[in-house]
Amino acid sequence: MMKKSISASKASLVLFLCQMISALDVPLDLSQPPTITQQSPKDYIVDPRENIVIQCEAKGKPPPSFSWTRNGTHFDIDKDAQVTMKPNSGTLVINIMNGGKAEAYEGVYQCTARNERGAAISNNIIIRPSRSPLWTKEKLEPNQVREGDSLVLHCRPPVGLPPPIIFWMDNAFQRLPQSERVSQGLNGDLYFSNVQPEDTREDYICYARFNHTQTIQQKQPISVKVFSMDSLNDTIAANLSDTDIYGAKPVTERQPILLTPTGSTSTKVELRGNVLFLECIAAGLPTPVIRWIKEGGELPANRTFFENFKKTLKIIDVSEADSGNYKCIARNILGSAHHVISVTVKAAPYWITAPRNLVLSPGEDGTLICRANGNPKPNISWLANGVPIAIAPEDPSRKVDGDTIIFSHVQERSSAVYQCNASNEYGYLLANAFVNVLAEPPRILTPANKLYQVIADSPALLDCAYFGSPKPEIEWFKGVKGSILRGDEYVFHDNGTLEIPVAQKDSTGTYTCVARNELGKIQNEVRLEVKDPTMIIKQPEYKVIQRYGQVSFECIIKHDFTLLPTVIWLKDNDELPDDERFLVGKDNLTIMNVTDKDDGTYTCIVNTTLDSVSASAVLTVVARPNPPFDLELTGQLERSIELSWIPGDENNSPITNFVIEYEDGLHEPGVWHYQTEVPGTQTTVQLKLSPYVNYSFRVIAVNEIGRSQPSEPSEQYLTKSANPDENPSNVQGIGSEPDNLVITWESLKGFQSNGPGLQYKVSWRQKDVDDEWTSVIVANVSKYIVSGTPTFVPYEIKVQALNDLGYAPEPSEVIGHSGEDLPMVAPGNVQVHVINSTLAKVHWDPVPLKTVRGHLQGYKVYYWKVQSLSRRSRRHVEKKILTFRGNKTFGMLPGLEPYSSYKLNVRVVNGKGEGPASPDKVFKTPEGVPSSPSFLKITNPTLDSLTLEWGSPTHPNGVLTSYILKFQPINNTHELGPLVEIRIPANESSLILKNLNYSTRYKFYFNAQTSVGSGSQITEEAVTIMDEAMASRQVDIATQGWFIGLMCAVALLILILLIVCFIRRNKGGKYPVKEKEDAHADPEIQPMKEDDGTFGEYRLFSFVSSAPF
């Protein structure tokens, strides 16, 4: 949000408008009657320990002299050594501190200021010393009262001046707590609507504070003892008289009765402008609630307040319209009581039109008007120079007409001070107004060439304070030779001020004020400058930040270049905290490590000498909520309880839900479990309980930021023991051996036991056999083994919980089986149907279920390749297994190799394992297409031929019938030429292609065939001779000078090497080349070229694969 404060021009407007409605001030160098400028209040309460100062200041020309009256007679201060008057002043100082007594100077004082042109008088000033008397001695009897009855403790403070402020405290100077039930009345008494045992104490002390003398008086302590009749034994009850206690009936609820005010009606008179206090305090049990209404109308809005727990109605600034009947209603569940207060608002006199000073020139006319109102209507009386006008010297120019004095053709001798007195039974008003008859030419009081600076689009007020008699006429001009200013764009005030309501930049310039009357003319020039307004172009924005984060507010401004702005930051309309975490930059405010106390409104204020702008933004600091507190358990039942709590501070992020956890102090102390959760608006919950659990609860609050710390644990609550409500779950019976049955279950948790001595009754019997249940009771286990059972037979099983108080409800039965054994027989009638070269389908007959001896899990097919029909080599036998779940009698065997011999068998499977295998079944797969040749190598290129060598396919997948070779030329742009196909016998492994084109690149495609079809192909590329472009580039290189030089250098190095070798040989040594030849004399172990590597691997493969079968 952004706001713009009052500019300097607007403040000036307020000042000038105030001047405009005031009387024309007479310069102090001119003759004028006295004017009272300062005086003490009408009702002046003084401190009797200090000097009394009664103020009376006045101005006039010549300076006035002062005199005083006391109680209506002249007060001769020269005859009282304790009284002095300040120099050039009428203020009296009564010396009390040097022996004087304030009481001796009580009375009504009035000051008169007088000079040759008249006399002004002050108000009647009533001097009274403040008093703070001591409490009178009194014997206070102890208050013995029955629980539930009402009680009033009377304060009755001493009468002081002014009245004291009353409050109740204890011996430790701690204020006594007050509430709807116990509260202090307007008269200072302490009211109890009903007393409770906790009200018993011996130190109810009423204090009276006298602010004027800064003293506090203390009443003797009052003792209160509250008796509960239910707790009194017969002896105590017999010793208590009716006087000691208020009745002997048991505590009962009572409908309200009013303790104050008494009766059904009362009256109240209040003066206009004061604060109206109305009070109703009621007794009753339960404590009554007070409500206020105005009969026949509404309580005044914005001026009505409720105090003292709505027992006091407060209306501020009352007026006659607030008169009427006000009803208070006290209500509880048994009934109500009411009281009507008739309020009448009277009024001391108040001004409608106060008389104002008149400055007239000889021969002029004028009026003094004195109009006031009040209830009752005030009387108006006039005085002249402090004397009732009826007995004042006559003045032929003066005529009194009720509240108006009319002056006609005044002369200098008509100058005087007139007093208007408006009074009724509630007070009076006194106003001085002079008539000053002068003949003066105009004078301008505003300094010459005064500079005014304002902000554009705001009012400009150019002052032309003047005086003259007769009253001068004022005219304004812009510039030295400008024309007179007129029109709606200007406002001309009676005090001479020129107002430009909306000043613009072109309003800048010099303005001339001219004042003239019949005695002369005068002018004055002032200057006006209009400045650009200051603006905040980037305002701070609303921020939400987590605790301990960092936040920054921006405040970027634009201003008139001739004005120097200052920027200050406020927090909640106060200075920023003196904390190094607050960093104020040129255009921003940064807060580091934000804490909760940084929450608030931050305001950027930009001030210049002419204007001020501000912008505010709210910082909301959010955090996880504070933990709940004051956990309370109520409504305790065997299986439920109500938990309530008070939420902690939500830290500006609403609580979304509460999580309730519990601890079982009996079974799992220190371990907290989730119980339930409720919405964040709920603060009570009904919780289900289990027997035999020592519960404690805690509550965790959750908001968008996270979870609070857990609350403090509630009080513990131990539920009574009971039979178990439930039985173990997940009961199973599975044998671990062929001759046993293992019964397992999930044990109950501690709080599920419902009582001490938790055990389990385990029962079983064979299903479909007329057997009795066999049972055993066990404890602290979750498994029981039954031995000597038949193999894999069904059993009915049940597990029942019990404790010292009895059994849980009858459990449900489950079916289990004793232990399994391996299947006894193999599947029969195994058949294989070959679908294609890689897939076969196998069939079998299911085995009888009795021979399975367990849970049938399915069948397993074992199969393996015996040999490839296209090779004479053996392979390592690798068996493969396929499992078919359930009672399935067929299955598919994928991934077989073509043209191969396979064997398989089938076995049945149960939970114990596999049964015997069926006899091996042999089947063969048909031929398939071969894999690609193992390699293709192209050697011995000539100008028109190439030699191709290849290896047979790694997986022939049948009998090879031939090889297919396809090739085509490739030109320089990689375009393919015509495709040529050649069929080659299967027993060949090489081929020489002749009659090829010179200098041509060829691409070859090669694959093998069986009777089924062609296999995948292998590709290669080769050229008949070197490419022509490459030969051309070699010729080009050979003609280069650098290449010729390099070759010459190489030749020279070879020549030097030969010479060195020749010399060494003559000396009997071997030259290096010879050594190499000796080291590699056997050509069989020469390393193959890179081009020959594949061929060597193929030979090795061929050798291995062609080993005799």
Side-chain angles (χ1 to χ4, degrees):
M1 57 181 176
M2 182 175 179
K3 56 186 178 181
K4 187 168 183 177
S5 60
I6 292 180
S7 67
S9 297
K10 289 184 179 178
S12 301
L13 175 61
V14 175
L15 175 63
F16 281 121
L17 291 179
C18 292
Q19 293 176 349
M20 188 180 75
I21 63 174
S22 66
L24 193 63
D25 285 338
V26 180
L28 287 176
D29 63 332
L30 298 178
S31 296
Q32 58 183 292
T35 300
I36 301 290
T37 59
Q38 191 173 3
Q39 57 183 317
S40 293
K42 294 178 181 179
D43 192 3
Y44 188 16
I45 300 175
V46 298
D47 190 334
R49 301 166 299 181
E50 297 180 355
N51 293 340
I52 302 174
V53 179
I54 310 176
Q55 292 184 327
C56 180
E57 303 291 340
K59 66 177 182 177
K61 181 71 173 182
S65 60
F66 296 89
S67 62
W68 285 86
T69 63
R70 176 183 174 189
N71 297 328
T73 61
H74 176 68
F75 182 35
D76 192 348
I77 62 176
D78 294 332
K79 294 181 178 181
D80 192 334
Q82 303 295 333
V83 182
T84 58
M85 185 183 294
K86 291 184 178 181
N88 303 317
S89 168
T91 298
L92 296 182
V93 178
I94 303 174
N95 195 331
I96 300 300
M97 302 178 68
N98 286 336
K101 290 187 177 181
E103 292 80 2
Y105 293 94
E106 285 191 60
V108 180
Y109 293 77
Q110 188 172 44
C111 171
T112 300
R114 187 185 308 273
N115 68 9
E116 62 188 28
R117 286 190 168 248
I121 60 175
S122 71
N123 292 320
N124 287 328
I125 303 170
I126 302 174
I127 302 296
R128 295 186 295 171
S130 64
R131 290 186 291 272
S132 53
L134 297 176
W135 239 293
T136 57
K137 294 290 185 179
E138 58 181 327
K139 184 179 180 180
L140 300 176
E141 297 293 336
N143 291 273
Q144 297 185 0
V145 59
R146 189 181 64 169
E147 179 183 356
D149 286 353
S150 61
L151 175 65
V152 180
L153 299 182
H154 298 288
C155 180
R156 299 191 183 100
V159 177
L161 185 68
I165 296 173
I166 306 301
F167 53 93
W168 289 80
M169 301 178 74
D170 59 17
N171 275 332
F173 297 102
Q174 299 297 315
R175 285 188 179 269
L176 296 175
Q178 298 191 23
S179 62
E180 287 186 343
R181 186 177 63 85
V182 183
S183 61
Q184 177 183 317
L186 293 175
N187 63 355
D189 291 346
L190 191 62
Y191 292 85
F192 295 77
S193 295
N194 54 79
V195 295
Q196 302 296 327
E198 60 265 24
D199 296 328
T200 297
R201 63 191 307 152
E202 297 181 351
D203 57 349
Y204 285 93
I205 305 174
C206 181
Y207 288 85
R209 183 173 67 219
F210 297 89
N211 283 345
H212 223 77
T213 56
Q214 298 181 346
T215 57
I216 296 178
Q217 305 291 351
Q218 172 185 337
K219 187 183 180 74
Q220 290 183 348
I222 302 175
S223 174
V224 173
K225 187 171 185 180
V226 179
F227 289 99
S228 173
M229 295 305 296
D230 293 337
S231 64
L232 291 176
N233 56 40
D234 294 338
T235 303
I236 297 176
N239 291 332
L240 292 175
S241 67
D242 291 342
T243 306
D244 296 328
I245 61 173
Y246 299 156
K249 297 180 181 179
V251 176
T252 57
E253 295 181 337
R254 302 186 319 281
Q255 69 180 30
I257 59 171
L258 288 172
L259 297 175
T260 185
T262 59
S264 60
T265 62
S266 60
T267 60
K268 173 82 172 181
V269 176
E270 192 55 78
L271 292 182
R272 179 180 184 271
N274 287 354
V275 178
L276 173 65
F277 287 98
L278 303 179
E279 179 181 61
C280 275
I281 300 178
L285 185 68
T287 302
V289 176
I290 305 296
R291 186 168 66 92
W292 291 89
I293 61 173
K294 183 180 182 183
E295 293 183 343
E298 299 290 334
L299 295 174
N302 303 322
R303 294 189 292 117
T304 301
F305 303 91
F306 298 100
E307 297 180 349
N308 197 20
F309 309 98
K310 292 193 174 180
K311 300 175 187 179
T312 302
L313 172 65
K314 174 182 173 182
I315 302 177
I316 63 173
D317 192 23
V318 294
S319 65
E320 288 85 343
D322 295 321
S323 297
N325 293 332
Y326 292 80
K327 177 187 284 189
C328 69
I329 304 168
R331 186 184 302 277
N332 67 10
I333 59 175
L334 299 180
S336 64
H338 67 270
H339 184 92
V340 176
I341 306 174
S342 179
V343 174
T344 302
V345 178
K346 299 292 186 177
Y350 56 92
W351 290 118
I352 296 176
T353 304
R356 298 167 57 189
N357 294 336
L358 275 178
V359 178
L360 303 174
S361 63
E364 280 191 316
D365 301 334
T367 58
L368 288 178
I369 300 173
C370 177
R371 289 177 184 162
N373 202 357
N375 186 9
K377 188 172 181 62
N379 296 317
I380 303 295
S381 61
W382 288 96
L383 296 87
N385 295 325
V387 177
I389 201 165
I391 61 175
E394 290 189 6
D395 182 351
S397 66
R398 179 183 69 210
K399 178 183 178 183
V400 178
D401 184 8
D403 60 6
T404 304
I405 301 179
I406 303 170
F407 297 93
S408 304
H409 303 289
V410 297
Q411 301 301 319
E412 187 174 351
R413 64 178 179 273
S414 300
S415 296
V417 181
Y418 291 87
Q419 289 83 32
C420 174
N421 185 298
S423 62
N424 65 13
E425 60 187 280
Y426 298 106
Y428 74 93
L429 294 173
L430 177 68
N432 290 278
F434 64 67
V435 176
N436 195 14
V437 181
L438 294 172
E440 288 291 328
R443 61 171 70 181
I444 293 179
L445 307 178
T446 301
N449 297 315
K450 184 175 180 179
L451 175 63
Y452 292 90
Q453 294 179 323
V454 298
I455 296 297
D457 297 327
S458 63
L461 297 166
L462 308 183
D463 186 16
C464 183
Y466 65 91
F467 183 79
S469 185
K471 181 180 177 181
E473 294 180 357
I474 303 298
E475 293 178 325
W476 280 94
F477 301 85
K478 184 176 181 184
V480 179
K481 298 182 180 179
S483 59
I484 188 170
L485 297 180
R486 303 182 188 280
D488 295 337
E489 56 183 313
Y490 301 103
V491 178
F492 303 95
H493 294 288
D494 288 345
N495 64 354
T497 297
L498 170 65
E499 178 184 351
I500 306 175
V502 184
Q504 302 294 332
K505 289 293 254 182
D506 58 4
S507 302
T508 299
T510 300
Y511 291 79
T512 303
C513 164
V514 177
R516 60 166 58 89
N517 67 10
E518 60 190 38
L519 301 177
K521 181 181 79 168
I522 192 171
Q523 68 181 39
N524 186 38
E525 292 181 355
V526 295
R527 291 188 297 119
L528 174 64
E529 292 180 357
V530 181
K531 307 288 186 179
D532 290 326
T534 304
M535 295 184 293
I536 299 177
I537 58 176
K538 179 65 175 177
Q539 301 180 32
E541 297 178 347
Y542 172 72
K543 296 291 179 71
V544 177
I545 189 72
Q546 288 193 32
R547 189 186 294 164
Y548 309 125
Q550 176 180 322
V551 68
S552 183
F553 293 107
E554 287 187 292
C555 184
I556 301 176
I557 64 173
K558 178 182 178 183
H559 61 92
D560 191 288
F561 72 95
T562 63
L563 301 177
L564 182 62
T566 58
V567 179
I568 60 174
W569 287 88
L570 301 179
K571 178 183 183 295
D572 296 330
N573 295 322
D574 203 351
E575 293 183 357
L576 290 178
D578 185 12
D579 192 329
E580 60 184 9
R581 298 181 300 108
F582 288 76
L583 306 177
V584 178
K586 178 183 177 183
D587 298 323
N588 59 64
L589 167 66
T590 301
I591 308 173
M592 314 287 291
N593 196 23
V594 171
T595 63
D596 291 340
K597 65 181 181 181
D598 299 330
D599 199 274
T601 301
Y602 290 83
T603 304
C604 165
I605 300 178
V606 185
N607 292 317
T608 68
T609 54
L610 297 182
D611 63 350
S612 176
V613 292
S614 65
S616 299
V618 174
L619 172 63
T620 301
V621 181
V622 296
R624 296 184 301 171
N626 292 348
F629 58 94
D630 279 358
L631 271 65
E632 183 178 4
L633 298 177
T634 55
Q636 290 90 339
L637 300 174
E638 290 187 3
R639 294 297 182 97
S640 69
I641 198 168
E642 184 173 88
L643 172 67
S644 60
W645 61 90
I646 298 176
D649 193 334
E650 63 184 17
N651 291 325
N652 296 321
S653 180
I655 295 174
T656 57
N657 58 291
F658 293 100
V659 177
I660 293 88
E661 297 180 339
Y662 73 91
E663 175 197 31
D664 182 1
L666 193 62
H667 302 100
E668 293 181 291
V671 179
W672 290 91
H673 301 276
Y674 173 86
Q675 171 93 3
T676 186
E677 60 184 84
V678 297
T681 56
Q682 188 172 328
T683 57
T684 60
V685 64
Q686 194 77 22
L687 300 174
K688 294 182 179 180
L689 305 180
S690 295
Y692 194 53
V693 176
N694 194 13
Y695 282 100
S696 290
F697 299 97
R698 68 183 188 185
V699 183
I700 299 170
V702 183
N703 64 11
E704 289 187 356
I705 310 304
R707 294 163 62 101
S708 73
Q709 292 294 319
S711 68
E712 291 294 323
S714 70
E715 60 181 302
Q716 291 186 330
Y717 178 61
L718 178 62
T719 54
K720 294 180 180 180
S721 302
N723 293 13
D725 291 325
E726 51 189 309
N727 288 301
S729 59
N730 197 24
V731 177
Q732 294 182 339
I734 301 174
S736 61
E737 298 295 337
D739 61 349
N740 75 7
L741 172 65
V742 179
I743 302 174
T744 60
W745 61 90
E746 286 187 11
S747 299
L748 298 181
K749 296 181 180 179
F751 72 90
Q752 294 174 307
S753 65
N754 286 7
L758 177 65
Q759 300 180 87
Y760 303 99
K761 179 181 179 182
V762 184
S763 304
W764 68 93
R765 68 180 178 185
Q766 189 172 337
K767 190 175 184 297
D768 300 328
V769 176
D770 192 15
D771 281 351
E772 295 294 328
W773 287 94
T774 303
S775 300
V776 64
I777 293 178
V778 297
N780 301 321
V781 295
S782 59
K783 178 173 71 173
Y784 183 76
I785 301 176
V786 181
S787 302
T789 63
T791 301
F792 195 68
V793 295
Y795 278 86
E796 294 176 322
I797 303 167
K798 57 184 180 180
V799 181
Q800 186 176 24
L802 68 150
N803 61 19
D804 291 349
L805 278 78
Y807 286 86
E810 185 67 23
S812 58
E813 300 171 8
V814 298
I815 303 300
H817 288 81
S818 57
E820 300 180 65
D821 205 348
L822 295 176
M824 299 173 61
V825 300
N829 193 25
V830 177
Q831 300 292 330
V832 180
H833 172 61
V834 178
I835 297 176
N836 57 39
S837 62
T838 60
L839 180 66
K841 183 177 183 180
V842 58
H843 291 262
W844 63 87
D845 291 340
V847 300
L849 289 179
K850 290 185 178 180
T851 66
V852 177
R853 298 200 295 181
H855 294 286
L856 176 64
Q857 295 187 355
Y859 291 87
K860 286 187 178 180
V861 177
Y862 285 75
Y863 66 100
W864 62 95
K865 180 179 175 182
V866 177
Q867 68 175 23
S868 173
L869 299 180
S870 62
R871 300 183 184 175
R872 294 175 295 172
S873 60
R874 292 186 178 274
R875 291 182 47 149
H876 170 69
V877 177
E878 179 183 356
K879 291 187 177 181
K880 297 181 180 180
I881 304 173
L882 284 176
T883 301
F884 300 95
R885 299 291 179 187
N887 197 20
K888 205 170 185 182
T889 59
F890 68 91
M892 307 299 291
L893 305 180
L896 302 176
E897 293 186 12
Y899 204 51
S900 299
S901 176
Y902 279 88
K903 288 184 178 181
L904 65 78
N905 59 52
V906 184
R907 312 175 192 200
V908 66
V909 182
N910 66 11
K912 188 71 173 178
E914 301 175 2
S918 67
D920 290 347
K921 186 74 174 179
V922 178
F923 67 96
K924 296 179 181 179
T925 57
E927 289 187 75
V929 297
S931 64
S932 62
S934 57
F935 68 88
L936 175 63
K937 186 167 61 174
I938 303 173
T939 60
N940 302 324
T942 65
L943 295 177
D944 60 350
S945 68
L946 291 170
T947 300
L948 279 67
E949 299 177 350
W950 59 87
S952 60
T954 305
H955 301 287
N957 295 338
V959 178
L960 295 181
T961 58
S962 62
Y963 291 101
I964 301 299
L965 174 66
K966 299 177 182 178
F967 63 92
Q968 57 190 146
I970 306 174
N971 62 16
N972 292 337
T973 61
H974 301 284
E975 295 177 351
L976 299 176
L979 185 67
V980 179
E981 181 178 328
I982 301 175
R983 185 177 295 274
I984 304 171
N987 58 352
E988 297 291 339
S989 61
S990 64
L991 175 68
I992 298 175
L993 286 178
K994 297 183 178 179
N995 300 320
L996 301 176
N997 296 331
Y998 301 113
S999 303
T1000 303
R1001 179 178 297 277
Y1002 287 89
K1003 186 169 185 177
F1004 298 92
Y1005 312 90
F1006 194 67
N1007 60 359
Q1009 280 189 333
T1010 64
S1011 60
V1012 176
S1014 299
S1016 57
Q1017 64 184 15
I1018 186 173
T1019 62
E1020 283 289 347
E1021 292 186 10
V1023 295
T1024 51
I1025 62 170
M1026 186 175 295
D1027 186 89
E1028 292 182 359
M1030 180 61 73
S1032 172
R1033 285 197 296 272
Q1034 288 183 345
V1035 172
D1036 292 341
I1037 293 173
T1039 60
Q1040 300 298 312
W1042 62 269
F1043 182 76
I1044 296 173
L1046 177 62
M1047 293 298 102
C1048 291
V1050 172
L1052 180 59
L1053 288 174
I1054 294 174
L1055 178 61
I1056 295 172
L1057 180 60
L1058 292 175
I1059 294 173
V1060 172
C1061 292
F1062 179 77
I1063 295 173
R1064 291 188 62 187
R1065 185 174 182 181
N1066 289 340
K1067 292 181 178 181
K1070 293 184 178 181
Y1071 55 90
V1073 177
K1074 182 68 167 87
E1075 291 177 353
K1076 283 189 176 184
E1077 291 175 353
D1078 292 342
H1080 302 87
D1082 189 355
E1084 290 297 323
I1085 60 174
Q1086 295 292 320
M1088 292 185 181
K1089 298 179 183 177
E1090 185 177 348
D1091 291 343
D1092 296 333
T1094 303
F1095 181 68
E1097 290 175 3
Y1098 170 73
R1099 288 177 61 192
L1100 179 61
F1101 177 81
S1102 299
F1103 175 76
V1104 173
S1105 63
S1106 61
F1109 182 79

